């Protein structure tokens, strides 16, 4: 019943978007986390550190079976018990049985996503055991009977007022305090006696060190400290992918995790724990009838799909996640709807989709897969350099294979064909698209019928370029080929024309690359076979150009990002020769604006640009940002005398290829866009956006006419 | 006199709500006496036995927590005192300047509790044990890991949370107040 569940998701998105309290709560929290992270990263070389972290994670996972064995030996060696749980049922049954056997009455828990993954609380409660979440956020969620909506701030979707009301209702306090500080104190006082009477403490672990058998727990509240020290039995539950070889690797991870997660240099407590505490069991609270008098330590290592994912060259990537949550804070759809729309069993966001696939199976991951627009913003921030958009693309492809691909998605996948068919009949096609008649079938196949479809130009960019024949650039500084993308070619040829003219002014001799579609429109519908074939052809063609000592220029940042980021994965099995070619192609591939700016700087060009006394309001393209060239459009425009350039900082335009056209997501797409529109509308002037789909989204949302930086620059050359 | 390392450490520690006092080995007992509440027990890790005695000499209810109970006050059970304790005082292995952190060892088995359970935590840091960053500090902890029984906690400020509307609140489950006493050598 795919249709019913699709309607539900649309409905849920709608409800989240309408929920003003939720909107307020997430918006301010995400912005705070995003900013704090940025500040904390100033004190390290993020790129270098995350490269190292990634390398360490890869190595650790590669050696996982061997490390696991070593860890087990080590823990058993000091008297701890290890249980390898093949799935969630096994894990929760082991812990529940242990609790029953030991006569445990109260369990205190510190934050553990894996315990949520295996539904531990329900299993314990079924045995009549009191389970007390002690992390403040988790406690709030527990009292509200909800699920965590964020990896590190579980109650991020709740406002203070809602929490006050919740405490009044569930904690038997008549007039709960109103300040965060007093509310926190209230929970502290309520939990202290529970800590003291607890017979079992359950914690997670951020890392487990194989050669010493040590748990590493990163926390701020001190509840993990108390959960491991006070109750006689300590059970740590974590995923097998958390094992690292030795303490030596820890430094790199500790540099990154707190900075990425909460924007701290280090959290209040980072505990290294090896076995049970050396103190005797305290008598505190044993008066409540607890019977355990011996200290015990149990380590539950959960597989639950991880080994299988480890063997899977594409999904393996997900296992490098350290659960810092940074990707969520950077993700526009997450920022807009919050975690619960993702189903949170228990992992939200784009990375959550991969984890849901791994731990709960393909069906559970199907719905939330579409919520990832593959915009790549998260890849900029992920400390483990996980390619979350690619994971989502792969999942989409696998679901297409299992369940068939929607007709609509097949249409969107072939941007190349649409253009080829439409251009010669441009006026007719454009007219038909505008009629109410065209809107009906669009609606029927799942395209939002209120969206304006892109208009087709009668003359393509390629035709224009060929027609104008040989243009002589006197003493060319460089030779380059323009990568022709489907949308510039068919829908916005004038942008291509502007780029050609600007580059020729700075002495670049141009030709066309005669490439195939980059493949992104198809990849983002989860269709990978065609793009793979195109990619192979493109590599041969572009490599030939590189051999001829030519640079390759991209007008649409998304096409460039396909080649820089996706081809490597798409062609993983093609062998070293292909990768070598790809390396060389990458080295010579440029975003047009980046290239222009580079030339101006390197050749110290005196451009004699005409002053333009205008304001330019610049929206940064997601893929430009993810490729680290986000500031390029603004910088280029600042070369124009008298131009007033304003860089607007928003997450995403919300369109991202065809995402905004799909009826189930179009409301979300517009809501994401609205944040950008509001920021753009704070300023008069010309809106500048490098992406074609950004342009159409902004055009629709602001009724302004966004321009590509090249269109502005050519004016200044005139 | 402070060095750049202590200064950077102090700045980081203070920025997350930790308080800093400077003293010398001779002035330690007096400095500590000024930081703790008069009418509540002060609990020490075993390596601070002398310091506990000095505080007791000036009228504080001071105990050393060990496995066997509360040393030198043998009738009192450790947990009974722990529950009433106003302050837990712990020594430390080393400090980390760049992150404003202190590594605390097992403290005779109770170190982990003494820094987390009483409402007020005092950690004593020898100025010359300050290291520049994690990369310098971790190998040292690693080298001494056996002797530490595999237990070490890096403390960076008092316990805190931001779980309610991202508002920073100090003192959730662990101490509300953290004092770090930096003990400097005479010539420093
Ligand atoms: S690619 Fe974009 S939409 Fe997908 S998870 Fe990352 S930030 Fe979110
Ligand atoms: S995917 Fe990366 S950014 Fe997201 S939680 Fe995992 S490690 Fe953090």
């Amino acid at each position: 019943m795919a249709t019913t569940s699709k309607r539900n998701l649309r409905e849920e998105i709608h409800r989240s978007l309408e929920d003003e309290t939720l909107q307020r709560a997430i918006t301010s929290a995400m912005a705070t986390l995003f900013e704090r992270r940025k500040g904390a990263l100033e004190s390290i070389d993020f790129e270098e550190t995350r490269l190292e972290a990634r390398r360490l994670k890869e190595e650790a996972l590669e050696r996982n079976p061997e490390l696991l064995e070593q860890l087990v030996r080590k823990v058993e060696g000091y008297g701890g018990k290890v249980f390898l749980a093949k799935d969630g049922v096994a894990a929760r049954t082991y812990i529940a049985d242990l609790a029953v056997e030991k006569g445990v009455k109260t369990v205190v828990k510190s934050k553990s996503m894996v315990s949520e993954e295996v539904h531990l609380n329900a299993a314990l409660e079924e045995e009549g055991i009191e389970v007390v979440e002690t992390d403040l956020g988790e406690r709030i969620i527990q009292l509200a009977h909800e699920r965590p909506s964020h990896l590190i701030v579980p109650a991020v979707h709740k406002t203070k007022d809602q929490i006050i009301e919740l405490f009044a209702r569930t904690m038997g306090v008549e007039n709960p305090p109103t300040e965060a500080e007093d509310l926190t104190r209230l929970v502290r006082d309520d939990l202290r006696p529970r800590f003291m009477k607890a017979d079992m403490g359950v914690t997670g672990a951020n890392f487990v060190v194989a050669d010493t058998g040590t748990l590493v727990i990163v926390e701020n509240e001190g509840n993990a400290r108390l959960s491991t020290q006070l109750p006689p039995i300590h059970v740590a539950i974590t995923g097998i992918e958390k094992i690292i070889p030795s303490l030596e690797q820890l430094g790199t991870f500790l540099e990154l995790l707190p900075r990425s997660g909460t924007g701290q240099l280090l959290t209040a407590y980072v505990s290294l724990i090896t076995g049970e505490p050396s103190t005797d069991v305290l008598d505190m609270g044993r008066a409540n009838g607890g019977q355990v008098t011996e200290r015990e330590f149990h380590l539950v290592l959960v597989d639950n799909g991880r080994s299988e994912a480890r063997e899977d060259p594409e999904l393996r990537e997900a296992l490098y996640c350290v659960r810092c949550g940074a990707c969520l804070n950077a993700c526009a759809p997450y920022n807009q709807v919050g975690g619960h729309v993702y189903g949170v069993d228990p992992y939200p966001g784009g990375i959550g989709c991969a984890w849901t696939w791994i731990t709960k199976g393909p069906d559970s991951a199907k719905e939330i897969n579409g919520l990832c627009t593959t915009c790549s913003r998260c890849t900029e921030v992920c400390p483990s350099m996980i390619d979350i958009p690619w994971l989502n693309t792969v999942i989409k492809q696998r679901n297409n294979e299992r369940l068939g691909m929607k007709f609509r998605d097949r249409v969107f996948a072939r941007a190349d064909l649409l253009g080829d068919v439409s251009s010669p009949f441009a006026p007719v096609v454009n007219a038909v698209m505008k009629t109410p008649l065209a809107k009906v079938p669009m609606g029927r196949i799942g395209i939002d019928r209120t969206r304006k479809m892109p208009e087709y130009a009668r003359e393509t960019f390629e035709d224009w370029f060929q027609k104008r024949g040989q243009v002589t650039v006197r003493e060319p500084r460089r030779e380059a080929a323009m990568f022709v993308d489907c949308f510039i070619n068919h829908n916005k040829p004038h942008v291509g024309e502007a780029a050609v003219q600007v580059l020729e002014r700075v002495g670049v001799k141009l030709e066309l690359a005669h490439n195939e579609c980059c493949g992104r429109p198809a990849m983002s519908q989860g269709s990978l076979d065609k793009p793979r074939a195109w990619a192979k052809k493109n590599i041969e063609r572009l490599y030939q150009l590189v051999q001829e000592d030519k640079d390759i220029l991209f007008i649409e940042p998304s096409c460039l990002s396909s080649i820089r980021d996706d081809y490597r994965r798409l062609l993983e099995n093609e062998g070293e020769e292909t990768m070598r070619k790809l390396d060389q192609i990458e080295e010579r591939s440029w975003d047009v604006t980046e290239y222009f700016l580079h030339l101006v700087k390197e050749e110290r060009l005196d451009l004699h640009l005409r002053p333009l006394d205008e304001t330019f309001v610049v929206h940064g393209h997601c893929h430009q940002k993810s490729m680290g060239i986000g500031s390029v459009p603004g910088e280029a425009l600042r070369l124009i005398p008298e131009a007033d350039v304003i860089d607007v900082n928003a997450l995403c335009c919300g369109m991202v290829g065809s995402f905004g056209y799909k009826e189930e997501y179009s409301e979300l797409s517009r809501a994401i866009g609205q944040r950008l529109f509001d920021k753009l509308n704070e300023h008069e002037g010309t809106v500048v956006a490098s992406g074609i789909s950004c342009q159409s989204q902004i055009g629709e949302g602001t009724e302004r006419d966004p321009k590509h930086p090249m269109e502005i620059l050519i004016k200044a050359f005139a | 006199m402070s060095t750049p390392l202590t200064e950077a450490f102090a700045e980081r520690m203070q920025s997350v709500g930790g308080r800093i006092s400077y003293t010398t080995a001779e002035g330690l007992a007096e400095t500590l006496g000024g930081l703790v509440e008069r009418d509540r027990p002060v609990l020490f890790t075993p390596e601070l036995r002398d310091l506990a005695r000095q505080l007791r000499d000036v009228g504080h209810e001071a105990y050393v927590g060990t496995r066997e109970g509360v040393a030198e006050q043998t009738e009192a059970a450790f947990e009974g005192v722990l529950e009433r304790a106003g302050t837990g005082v712990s020594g430390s292995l080393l400090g980390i300047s760049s992150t404003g952190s202190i590594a605390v060892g097992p403290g005779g088995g109770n170190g982990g509790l003494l820094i987390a359970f009483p409402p007020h935590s005092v950690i004593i840091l020898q100025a010359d044990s300050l290291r520049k960053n994690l990369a310098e500090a971790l190998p040292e902890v690693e080298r001494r890991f056996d002797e530490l029984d595999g237990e070490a906690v890096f403390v960076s400020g008092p316990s805190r949370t931001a779980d309610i509307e991202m508002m920073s609140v100090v003192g959730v489950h662990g101490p509300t107040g953290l004092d770090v006493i930096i003990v400097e050598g005479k010539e420093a």
Side-chain angles (χ1 to χ4, degrees), chain A residues 33 541 602:
Chain A
L33 283 170
R541 174 72 195 122
E602 197 176 85

Side-chain angles (χ1 to χ4, degrees), chain A residues 134 137 188 192 274 278-279 283, chain B residues 67 79 110 150 163 165 173-174:
Chain A
T134 61
R188 177 192 173 104
R192 267 291 162 119
T274 312
S278 42
T279 32
D283 271 339
Chain B
R67 279 187 80 103
E79 45 267 38
N110 295 316
D163 273 346
E165 288 190 0
H173 297 296

